[in-house]
C-alpha cells in the first residue's frame, strides 16, 4: 500500500509539511492495510495555503477547497454520509484568521471529524506575512516593524471551545506525530491536532522547537481533566508541551442532528400527503 | 364575491397567526384565500397588519383596499384607514374594548384575532359550529380559550346588530393554504433535498423553521449554522458527498455566499441557493418586499462559471421551480439560484400544488467500463463529467478549487486553464440548448400590448390585465434567458411594458439586452409594498388609451 | 533596438528581485524597460521566469519572445524554449554551472541573477563600473557578494568569447521603474489616503507590503486584518470618522466584501476598493492574469446603490486613477472600485508618473448657517448630503444601514423608502452627468476599424496597432460607462474588435448593451498569460485584410 | 443633560435592553456633564438585532451597521481619530455567530474600544432561534427538538482572547451595571462587558438570573490575576458571578500601529519625491 500519487511534491526542501504528510501517510496506510478503515471512505479536505496542496499528494478522496472554510465542509460531508471519515488540513492563517469562526464552531459542536493544523506561524503561500499565531513583534512582510498583535494559543482556544480531543505534535518528530495521528483516528468526536511546523523559507523554527518541545506522554500528565489541560495549555516558552492535552467522549453533533437517519442511503422521497393536509 | 379583511395591531397580538386561522376558515368554507402580512422589523411596538383576501374566484395577490378593518390600536388604524373601501366596516379599539375582554377572559393578547373571527362569523352568517370546529382543529390546546373569545366577538356583533349577510358555502374544495416558504421547502423535499443549511434572516427564516420542525417526518436535516458562509460550505460538503443540499438566505446573506458560489461553479458541484429578496441596499427594510437582487444573482461570484437563475411568480411555482432547481443543479453539477421575495415567501395562498408530481434527480453517474478510470473533471461532449461520491469503491474523487487537470490535480499550465474553461463554457452551451427546449416563460392572455415581468408581480399583473387586450409574458428563467421564446411572443406586439419591484429596472435592462428591443414603459415600484392589482390596472389603462 | 531577456528558475533563485536589478541597469542606461513576472502559486519547485524587455522606444508590455534566455534549471528552459527568437542566445544549467559557482562563492541561490547580469554586461558592452554602481546602489549590504558573482559572469562571457556588441547609452532620462501595485499605492497616498486595510492575497499583497514598509514616511497606516470582511469594515469605520481609506484584494476577497460594499452604498460613505484580478473562478490560478471580475465589480452587493468602477490600462494610469478614485469616493460619498489585474499590478515599467500632480480631496462640508441642523441624509438637489465626521462640535452624525430618515433614524415607512431610494438615484444621475464631462476614454490612432478594450490589454494593443489604420478606444470608466464619448468615436468606424482577457467577453457584452452596436469580432484570451503584441497584431492584420 | 432622542423606544415592554440603555445613558450623561468626556467624541456602533436599534435612542454620534461587523468598525474609528470614544453594542448572535472572528481579534489586538454584549441567548429580531450562548437542549424556532450545540462562555472566551477588561453585568441590576460601565469607560484598552439580558418574548431569563447572580465585588475576588479569572469565568450554574473578572493595562493596538500619528489632523500629503527616486 502506497498512498502517494504521481504528483511531484512542491514544498520547499526541508519544509515541515513533509513530516506531517509522511506521518499521516504511514498511519493511514497501516489502518487501510489492517482493514480498520476502508480507503474509499477517507476524505481529505484542505484549504488554501502551502499545506493545502497536500491533497494532491495522497491517492485518496479529497476536496481542496477555498481559504478558511474547511470545518463546515467536514461537517457537511460527515452529515451526508456517516461512513465517511473526513480529515481536514488547515493552516494557521486558514484556521484562525479567515476561518476563525468555523474552527471554534466545529469544536463546540463536537462534529465527528478531524482537523490537523499546520502551524508555521506565517502565511507561507502568500510569501511571508504574520498570522494570528505569530509572536508579538514578529517581523513579516506586512509588519516590517513588528507584529502589533498578541498571538492566540490554538490549544487553549480549542479547549475552551470544547473540542473533545486536543493534541499538539511537532513535525520534526514523526514517530510521536504518528502516535498522535493514531489516537486522533481512534477518537469519536471532534479531534484537533496542532502540528508545530517549521517554514524553512519564511519562519524557520526548527531549531527553536527542537530545543523546547517535550512530550506529555513522558511525564505523568493525564489528558482527562479539563482544568488541568487548560492550565497545561498555557505553558509556552522555555518548555513547550506536545502530546495529547485532553480527550473525552461525548455525543457528537452528527448523532444529535441525524438521530439515526442516513441521508446518503435513505433516498426515499416522502409523498407529502400528510403534511399537506395539515395546511388545509 | 371578493373582499378583504384587515386586522392590525402590534406584534404579540397574534396578527400573523390569527390571519392564518381566519384564512383557514374561509378556505374550508369553500373560498379562495390570499394572506399578506405587513410587519415591521421590531418585535413589539410596531403597527403590523395582515390582509386576508377572500374570493369566489381564484385570486393571485393581496388587494390592498379593505372591506373590513379590525384594529387593536389606533395608530395602525390611522396609518391605513385611507385604504378602507367606501362601505368598509371598522371595529377599532375605540369601538371595542379588546384589551379588557382579553383581561377579563384571562386570555393572552395574541388571541385577539379570535374575537375578530367571532364578529366576522356573525356578520357573514357563517355557521358558528363550523368555525368552532376549525378553531378546535387548528389551535389544539389553545382552542378552548380561543373559542371563548370567538363567542364573545360573535355575541357582541349580534348585540350591536351589526350588518349581517348570509355568505353561502363556496364551491371550491379546500386546498392547502401555504406560505411561499412552506411551498419552497416542500418542493425541495419532493425532489430529494436532504440537507438544508441556513443562518436566520428575514424573510427566509420561516423556511428553516418549517423544515426543522418537520425534519424527521421529511427524512431530512435542517440546520442553523454560525453564518451564511458556514451554511453554504456545509451544504457543499454534503453535495460533494452525494446528498442533495440547499441553503436559504436573503440579500445580505447572499453577498456572503459569493465566494462559495464561485467555488461550486469551479469544482462543479450541485447546490441550490434560495434568495428571498427584501428591501435593500444593506439592512434596508428587512420585512418589506423588493426584487433588487436580480443583477447580483446573475453576477455573484468572481470569475466565470455556469449558473442557473430561476424566479417563481407565485407560491405554486415556488414549489415547482425549487424542485426543478435540484434537477438542474444535479444534472449540470453547478449552482442554481432561486429568487423569491418577501411577498411570495411570507404570503399564504390557497394553492394547487402538484404534490404528487415526481421530480426525479438524475446525475451522470460513473460507469467504469464506459468511462475508464475515474476522473472528476473528465472532458465529455456536453461538458458534464460523470459524478461519483466519495465512498465509491475503487474510485478516488479529487475535487479542487484551484484550476485542475481532468483527474482533479492542481495545475496552472496555460493549456489546463484553456481546457477547463472551455469545458465549463461547453457546459453552459449545453444548459442553454436544453433550456431552449424547456421554454421558461409563461404566457397569459392576448393583445398587442405586452407586459413583461418576473417573480412576484405576477399575481397583481394577472388581475390587472383581466379583460384588457394585453398579453402577459412572465419570464421564469433569468439565466439562461429564454430569448427565442420571448422573441416569438413579442413578434407581433406593438408596445412593451415592464413591471418590477425595484428602482433600477434591472429586469427591464436584462430584457432589453437579451432581446434587443426597447421597453416602451417601465413600471417600477420601490416602496417595499407589493403591487396592488388596481394600481397596475390604472397604469395599463393609461397605456391602452 | 528592442530586445527581451528571459531568466528562469525556481522560486528562491531571486528571479523577481534579479529582474528588477537588471531592469534598473537598463533604465539608468537610458532605455525603456518592462518587466513581467511569471511564477506559480507554490513557494519552491516551480518554473518561474521573468521577462525583462529593453527598448529605445517606449514599450507598453512584455513581448513574450526572447533574445536572451538564461535558465537555472532545464525544466523551465524546456517549457519556454519555443519562445526563443531565431538567434536567441541561451545560457542554461547545461552550459554553465550556476549552482557550483554559487557554492564556490559561498553565495545564496537568490543571487544567481547577478551572474546573468555579468554575462549580459559583457555581451552588450555596457561599462562594467556603470553596472557595478547600480548593484552597489540597489543591493546595499548584499552588494559585494553580488558584484563578485557579476564579475564571474562577466569574465566567463569574455573567456567564452560570447558575441559582443556595444550598446550605446540610451537617450532617455531614467524614470522610476515601478510595479503597478507601487503606483497604485503612491496614487492613493498622493490623493490623501491615510488608512489601507487588507488581507493578504496574490496579486494584491505586494501593495500591503509596500505601504506597510513605507507607512511612516508616507504618514499612513497599512494594516493586515483577520479577513477581507474585517479589512473593509475597518476601512469604513475610518471613512466614517473622516479619514480617506482603501482596501485591496483579489476576486475571492472581493466576493467577501460584497455585503459591506452594499453597506457603504446605503450609508453613503466613501471607500475605495481595489480588485487586482487573477484567474478565476474560485482559487483558479492565483498567480496568473485575467479580467474576469468585471461583471462582479459592476454588480456586487445586494440591493441598489450608486457605484463607480474604474480600470487603469497601465501603471501610469494605475497611479492616476487610484488618486481620482479617492476624489470620486469622497465627493460622491459612495464606493469606488478600481479594477487592476496581475499583469498591471505585478509588472514593472519605466513610467512617467505625474507625482507632482495634486488630486485635492473635496467633500461637501457641513455649513450650519446654510444647512440648518445637521442631518446626515439631508435631501439636496444633487443627491449629495453635507458630510461631517463625528467629533464635530454641535453635530450628531447618525449613520444607519437600515433605511433611514434624513436624520439617520431607522424607518421603513413607504414614503421613507421612496425618498431615500430617489435620493440615491439622484446621486447616480449627478455622477453620470459629471462623468459625461470627464469623458473617461482614451483614444489612440485613427482608422475605420476600431479596437475597444479596457485594462491591461492596452499595452499589447498599442503596440499591435502601430502603423495600422486602426483606432483604439480604451474605456477607462466602466460605471458610469462613457456612452456618448464612445458613440462619437465609433460614428465613422466600420468594424469593431473587442479585446479582453476572459472567456465570457464580459466587456464586449457591456459595450454592446451600453452602446447598442454589435462587436464584429471578439478577441478573448483566457490562458492566464498576458496578450503579446505580435499575437494581437496578426489577429488585427487578419481583420484588416 | 438628557441623551434621549425623540424616537419611540420599540423594545417589548420589560425587555432587558431597557436596563442596558438606561444604565449607560446615565453614566454617559454624568461623564459629559462633569466634563470628563466631550459629547461629540462619543461614537456608538451597533449591529443588527433587537438591541441594534439602541443607536436610535441616544442623541450621540452613531453607526448602526450590519450584523456581526461591529468590532472592525470600532477599530477603524479609533485609528482614524484617537480622540473619539467608540462604544460598540453587539448581540450574542452578532458577536459569536456572524461576528465570532472579529470579536476574538479585536480582543487580542487590545484595540482601545468598548464592546457591550447584549446576551439574551436568543436571536430576538429574527424571532427566536438559538444562538451560540443558548444552553444545550434549548428549544427554539430553529431547534424545536433542542439545541444540539454546546454553548460558548463569553467571559472565558474573551479572557483567553486576551481582552484587558472583562466584566459581566445583569440588566436587572442597573446600579451594578452603572458601576461596570463607569469602570469600562475608565479603561484604556479593549473593554468587554457581557450583560445578561432577559428577552421577555423569546427567552425570559429574568427570574432565572435573579436567583443566581451575585457580585464579585461583594466577595474578596481581585480582578488582577489571569489564571484566577479564567477559573472564575467557568463558574456557571447555581451561582453566576457578575462584576469585573479581569483588568490589566497594556499597550493598545492603536498606540502600536499609529506610533503618535494622528491621521485625522495630519492631512499633509507627502510629495513622494524621495520615495520615487528610489525606484529609478
Ligand atoms: C478569501 C481569500 N483570501 C485570501 C487568500 C489568499 N491566501 C492564500 S493562502 C493564504 C495564507 C495561507 O496561510 P496559512 O493558512 O497559514 O497556510 P500556509 O501557506 O502557511 O501553509 C492566503 C491569505 C485566499 N486564497 N482566499
Ligand atoms: C448577514 C446577515 N445575516 C443575517 C441577518 C439577520 N439577522 C438580523 S438580526 C439577527 C440576529 C440577532 O440576534 P442577536 O445578535 O442575538 O440580537 P438580538 O436580536 O437578540 O438582540 C439576524 C440573524 C442579517 N441582518 N445579516
Ligand atoms: S514557504 Fe514555508 S510552508 Fe511553504 S512550502 Fe516553503 S517551507 Fe513550507
Ligand atoms: S424580542 Fe426580546 S430582545 Fe427583542 S425587544 Fe422583545 S424582549 Fe427585547
Ligand atoms: Mg501558515
Ligand atoms: Mg440575542
Amino acid at each position: 500500500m502506497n498512498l502517494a500519487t504521481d504528483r511531484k511534491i512542491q514544498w520547499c526542501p526541508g519544509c515541515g509539511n513533509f513530516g506531517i504528510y509522511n506521518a499521516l501517510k504511514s498511519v493511514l496506510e497501516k489502518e487501510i492495510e489492517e482493514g480498520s478503515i476502508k480507503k474509499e471512505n477517507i476524505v481529505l479536505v484542505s484549504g488554501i495555503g502551502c499545506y493545502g496542496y497536500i491533497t494532491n499528494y495522497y491517492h485518496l478522496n479529497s476536496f481542496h477547497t477555498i481559504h478558511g472554510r474547511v470545518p463546515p465542509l467536514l461537517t457537511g460531508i460527515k452529515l451526508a454520509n456517516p461512513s465517511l471519515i473526513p480529515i481536514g488540513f488547515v493552516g494557521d492563517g486558514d484556521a484562525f484568521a479567515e476561518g476563525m469562526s468555523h474552527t471554534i464552531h466545529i469544536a463546540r459542536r463536537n462534529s465527528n471529524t478531524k482537523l490537523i493544523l499546520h502551524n508555521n506561524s506565517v502565511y507561507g503561500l502568500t510569501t511571508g506575512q504574520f498570522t494570528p499565531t505569530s509572536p508579538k513583534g514578529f517581523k513579516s512582510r506586512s509588519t516590517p516593524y513588528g507584529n502589533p498583535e498578541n498571538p492566540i494559543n490554538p490549544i487553549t482556544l480549542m479547549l475552551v471551545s470544547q473540542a473533545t480531543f486536543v493534541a499538539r505534535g511537532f513535525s520534526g518528530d514523526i514517530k510521536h506525530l504518528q502516535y498522535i495521528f493514531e489516537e486522533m483516528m481512534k477518537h469519536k468526536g471532534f479531534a484537533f491536532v496542532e502540528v508545530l511546523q517549521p517554514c524553512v523559507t519564511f519562519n524557520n523554527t526548527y531549531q527553536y522547537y527542537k530545543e523546547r518541545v517535550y512530550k506529555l506522554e513522558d511525564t505523568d500528565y493525564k489528558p482527562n481533566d479539563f482544568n488541568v489541560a487548560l492550565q497545561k495549555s498555557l505553558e509556552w516558552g522555555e518548555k513547550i508541551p506536545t502530546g495529547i492535552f485532553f480527550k473525552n467522549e461525548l455525543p457528537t453533533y452528527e448523532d444529535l442532528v441525524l438521530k439515526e437517519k442516513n441521508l446518503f442511503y435513505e433516498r426515499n422521497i416522502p409523498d407529502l400527503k400528510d403534511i399537506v393536509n395539515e395546511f388545509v | 364575491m371578493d373582499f378583504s379583511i384587515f386586522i392590525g395591531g402590534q406584534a404579540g397580538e397574534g396578527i400573523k397567526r390569527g390571519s392564518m386561522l381566519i384564512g383557514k376558515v374561509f378556505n374550508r368554507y369553500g373560498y379562495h384565500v390570499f394572506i399578506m402580512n405587513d410587519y415591521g422589523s421590531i418585535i413589539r411596538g410596531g403597527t403590523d397588519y395582515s390582509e386576508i383576501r377572500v374570493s369566489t374566484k381564484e385570486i393571485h395577490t393581496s388587494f390592498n383596499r379593505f372591506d373590513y378593518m379590525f384594529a387593536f390600536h389606533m395608530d395602525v388604524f390611522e396609518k391605513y384607514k385611507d385604504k378602507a373601501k367606501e362601505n368598509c366596516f371598522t371595529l377599532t379599539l375605540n369601538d371595542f374594548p379588546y384589551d379588557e375582554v382579553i383581561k377579563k377572559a384571562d386570555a393572552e393578547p395574541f388571541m385577539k384575532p379570535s374575537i375578530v373571527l367571532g364578529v366576522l362569523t356573525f356578520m357573514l352568517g357563517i355557521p358558528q359550529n363550523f368555525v368552532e370546529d376549525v378553531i378546535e382543529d387548528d389551535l389544539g390546546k389553545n382552542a378552548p380559550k380561543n373559542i371563548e373569545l370567538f363567542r364573545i366577538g360573535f355575541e357582541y356583533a349580534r348585540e350591536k346588530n351589526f350588518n349581517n349577510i348570509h355568505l353561502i358555502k363556496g364551491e371550491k374544495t379546500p386546498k392547502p393554504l401555504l406560505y411561499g416558504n412552506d411551498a419552497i421547502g416542500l418542493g425541495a423535499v419532493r425532489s430529494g433535498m436532504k440537507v438544508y443549511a441556513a443562518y436566520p434572516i428575514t424573510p427566509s427564516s420561516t423556511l428553516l423553521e418549517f423544515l426543522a420542525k418537520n425534519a424527521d417526518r421529511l427524512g431530512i436535516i435542517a440546520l442553523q449554522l454560525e453564518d451564511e458562509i458556514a451554511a453554504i460550505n456545509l451544504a457543499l460538503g454534503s453535495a460533494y458527498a452525494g446528498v442533495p443540499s440547499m441553503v436559504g438566505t436573503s440579500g445580505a446573506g447572499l453577498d456572503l455566499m459569493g465566494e462559495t458560489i464561485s467555488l461550486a461553479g469551479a469544482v462543479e458541484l450541485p447546490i441550490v441557493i434560495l434568495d428571498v429578496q427584501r428591501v435593500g441596499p444593506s439592512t434596508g427594510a428587512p420585512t418589506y418586499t423588493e426584487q433588487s437582487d436580480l443583477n447580483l444573482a446573475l453576477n455573484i461570484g468572481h470569475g466565470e462559471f455556469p449558473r442557473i437563475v430561476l424566479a417563481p411568480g407565485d407560491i405554486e411555482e415556488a414549489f415547482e421551480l425549487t424542485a426543478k432547481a435540484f434537477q438542474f443543479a444535479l444534472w449540470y453539477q453547478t449552482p442554481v439560484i432561486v429568487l423569491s421575495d418577501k411577498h411570495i415567501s411570507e404570503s399564504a395562498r390557497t394553492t394547487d400544488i402538484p404534490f404528487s408530481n415526481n421530480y426525479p434527480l438524475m446525475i451522470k453517474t460513473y460507469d467504469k467500463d464506459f468511462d475508464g478510470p475515474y476522473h472528476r473533471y473528465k472532458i465529455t461532449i456536453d461538458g458534464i463529467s460523470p459524478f461519483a461520491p466519495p465512498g465509491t469503491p475503487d474510485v478516488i474523487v479529487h475535487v479542487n478549487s484551484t484550476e485542475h487537470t481532468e483527474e482533479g490535480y492542481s495545475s496552472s499550465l496555460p493549456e489546463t486553464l484553456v481546457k477547463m474553461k472551455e469545458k465549463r463554457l461547453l457546459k453552459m452551451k449545453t444548459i442553454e440548448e436544453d433550456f431552449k427546449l424547456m421554454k421558461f416563460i409563461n404566457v397569459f392572455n392576448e393583445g398587442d400590448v405586452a407586459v413583461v415581468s418576473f417573480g412576484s408581480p405576477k399575481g397583481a399583473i394577472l388581475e390587472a390585465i383581466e379583460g384588457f387586450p394585453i398579453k402577459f409574458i412572465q419570464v421564469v428563467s433569468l439565466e439562461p434567458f429564454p430569448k427565442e421564446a420571448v422573441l416569438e411572443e413579442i413578434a407581433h406586439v406593438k408596445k412593451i411594458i415592464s413591471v418590477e419591484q425595484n428602482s433600477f429596472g434591472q429586469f427591464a435592462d436584462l430584457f432589453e439586452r437579451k432581446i434587443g428591443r426597447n421597453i416602451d414603459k417601465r413600471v417600477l415600484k420601490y416602496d417595499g409594498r407589493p403591487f396592488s392589482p388596481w394600481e397596475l390596472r390604472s397604469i395599463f389603462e393609461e397605456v391602452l388609451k
Side-chain angles (χ1 to χ4, degrees), chain B residues 98-378:
Chain B
Y98 290 103
D99 293 302
E100 249 167 72
V101 169
I102 289 292
K103 214 174 199 168
K104 254 206 210 137
D106 200 20
E108 300 284 341
F110 67 79
M111 298 174 175
K112 286 180 188 173
S114 292
I115 308 172
V116 170
L117 186 55
V119 174
L120 277 170
T121 303
F122 173 80
M123 292 183 73
L124 296 168
I126 305 174
Q128 207 169 336
N129 59 344
F130 175 87
V131 178
E132 292 187 4
D133 283 354
V134 179
I135 300 179
E136 191 79 50
D137 219 43
D138 196 47
L139 296 183
K141 75 176 195 335
N142 275 334
K145 193 53 87 187
N146 279 282
I147 289 174
E148 193 183 326
L149 294 169
F150 165 79
R151 286 181 184 163
I152 294 172
F154 191 94
E155 286 311 316
Y156 177 81
R158 196 207 316 261
E159 267 165 37
K160 290 275 165 171
N161 240 325
F162 283 163
N163 242 341
N164 80 348
I165 58 165
H166 179 61
L167 188 74
I168 54 163
K169 197 159 189 307
E171 285 166 8
K172 183 193 68 75
T173 39
K175 301 179 190 178
L177 178 56
L178 282 173
Y179 288 115
N181 276 344
D182 301 340
I184 289 170
L186 292 169
V189 170
R190 192 73 193 112
S191 68
M193 180 195 75
K194 295 288 167 198
V195 174
Y196 180 75
Y199 186 71
I201 187 166
T202 308
S204 74
S205 315
T206 50
L207 173 55
L208 172 62
E209 289 159 22
F210 170 68
L211 292 175
K213 201 169 125 199
N214 296 291
D216 291 342
R217 57 209 285 225
L218 297 175
I220 63 160
I221 57 174
L223 305 175
Q224 175 181 316
L225 276 295
E226 64 266 30
D227 59 20
E228 289 83 353
I229 299 177
I232 188 169
N233 280 283
L234 182 138
L236 200 65
S238 297
Y240 166 62
V243 165
S245 304
M246 165 165 159
V247 295
T249 188
S250 186
L254 184 63
D255 288 339
L256 292 167
M257 293 181 177
E259 193 197 4
T260 306
I261 294 173
S262 173
L263 168 66
V267 299
E268 307 194 38
L269 281 175
I271 178 110
V272 176
I273 301 121
L274 168 71
D275 175 20
V276 186
Q277 298 165 97
R278 62 188 211 186
V279 174
S282 199
T283 313
T287 57
Y288 289 96
T289 200
E290 197 165 272
Q291 298 181 284
S292 59
D293 295 347
L294 174 57
N295 284 342
L296 181 65
L298 294 172
N299 295 288
I300 193 169
H302 73 286
E304 301 175 320
F305 54 89
R307 83 182 73 208
I308 293 167
V309 180
L310 307 172
D314 57 31
I315 296 172
E316 183 174 334
E317 285 177 10
F319 174 87
E320 205 168 325
L321 280 183
T322 309
K324 286 193 175 153
F326 277 90
Q327 295 185 297
F328 298 144
L330 263 82
W331 183 252
Y332 300 114
Q333 300 174 38
T334 213
V336 179
I337 300 177
V338 177
L339 274 183
S340 177
D341 63 30
K342 188 259 167 189
H343 188 51
I344 289 179
S345 278
E346 293 200 342
S347 296
R349 183 183 168 209
T350 42
T351 329
D352 265 320
I353 283 195
F355 287 109
S356 50
N357 272 11
N358 279 321
Y359 300 88
L361 290 185
M362 300 206 292
I363 193 153
K364 208 187 242 196
T365 42
Y366 167 60
D367 174 348
K368 198 174 183 180
D369 295 334
F370 180 80
D371 294 311
Y374 187 72
H375 291 167
R376 179 67 271 262
Y377 302 105
K378 187 183 160 75

Side-chain angles (χ1 to χ4, degrees), chain A:
Chain A
M1 161 96 356
N2 185 350
L3 289 179
T5 60
D6 59 359
R7 313 300 291 181
K8 196 178 135 207
I9 299 191
Q10 296 189 307
W11 292 313
C12 308
C15 173
N17 281 321
F18 285 100
I20 304 174
Y21 170 73
N22 288 321
L24 186 69
K25 186 164 166 290
S26 63
V27 170
L28 294 180
E29 283 167 354
K30 189 164 146 255
E31 301 217 7
I32 294 167
E33 273 168 10
E34 288 173 354
S36 56
I37 48 181
K38 281 195 193 147
K39 186 178 168 198
E40 66 263 28
N41 284 346
I42 303 174
V43 184
L44 308 180
V45 180
S46 65
I48 300 299
C50 285
Y51 75 89
Y53 289 97
I54 199 167
T55 48
N56 284 284
Y57 309 138
Y58 288 115
H59 197 58
L60 289 170
N61 297 311
S62 74
F63 195 142
H64 187 185
T65 188
I66 51 178
H67 185 56
R69 316 300 174 190
V70 168
L73 264 179
L74 293 175
T75 302
I77 292 167
K78 190 71 185 174
L79 284 167
N81 184 351
S83 323
L84 300 178
I85 303 162
I87 304 174
F89 305 94
V90 283
D92 45 323
D94 193 277
F96 297 117
E98 192 75 76
M100 170 66 98
S101 185
H102 310 309
T103 307
I104 292 177
H105 285 283
I106 194 173
R108 76 186 189 79
R109 286 191 188 112
N110 195 28
S111 175
N112 190 5
T113 61
K114 296 147 204 336
L115 198 67
I116 298 170
L117 171 68
H118 300 235
N119 188 2
N120 55 4
S121 295
V122 77
Y123 290 140
L125 193 60
T126 54
T127 68
Q129 298 83 3
F130 78 103
T131 74
T133 67
S134 304
K136 194 160 189 163
F138 182 64
K139 284 189 180 147
S140 79
R141 288 225 185 159
S142 53
T143 51
Y145 309 108
N147 172 16
E149 309 189 351
N150 302 299
I152 61 128
N153 177 329
I155 299 291
T156 315
L157 194 58
M158 284 296 95
L159 281 170
V160 305
S161 302
Q162 304 171 64
T164 50
F165 180 98
V166 179
R168 176 189 285 144
F170 170 42
S171 71
D173 185 345
I174 297 197
K175 263 241 158 72
H176 187 230
L177 208 50
Q178 284 170 341
Y179 159 72
I180 291 175
F181 286 156
E182 276 163 17
E183 294 299 305
M184 170 189 87
M185 291 303 295
K186 281 186 214 147
H187 182 69
K188 184 170 181 239
F190 179 68
F192 174 81
V193 177
E194 173 186 18
V195 186
L196 304 174
Q197 176 232 324
C199 163
V200 294
T201 301
F202 299 111
N203 190 24
N204 195 344
T205 48
Y206 193 72
Q207 204 49 38
Y208 181 89
Y209 287 137
K210 225 180 145 185
E211 286 162 9
R212 287 169 175 78
V213 293
Y214 73 96
K215 302 192 191 69
L216 289 173
E217 289 74 20
D218 292 344
T219 70
D220 57 3
Y221 182 85
K222 293 266 168 330
N224 54 9
D225 183 315
F226 177 81
N227 280 310
V228 171
L230 195 55
Q231 281 306 319
K232 193 58 170 173
S233 77
L234 299 172
E235 183 178 328
W236 182 273
E238 282 319 296
K239 300 232 132 255
I240 297 173
T242 61
I244 297 167
F245 284 76
F246 185 65
K247 177 158 88 173
N248 188 14
E249 193 151 320
L250 284 174
T252 68
Y253 183 65
E254 290 75 15
D255 286 346
L256 293 171
V257 161
L258 288 172
K259 303 182 219 155
E260 323 272 296
K261 275 183 253 211
N262 187 316
L263 305 173
F264 186 76
Y265 291 106
E266 290 159 21
R267 289 301 175 88
N268 55 318
I269 288 170
D271 78 349
L272 307 180
K273 230 175 241 141
D274 284 5
I275 212 165
V276 164
N277 277 337
E278 289 168 19
F279 287 96
V280 176

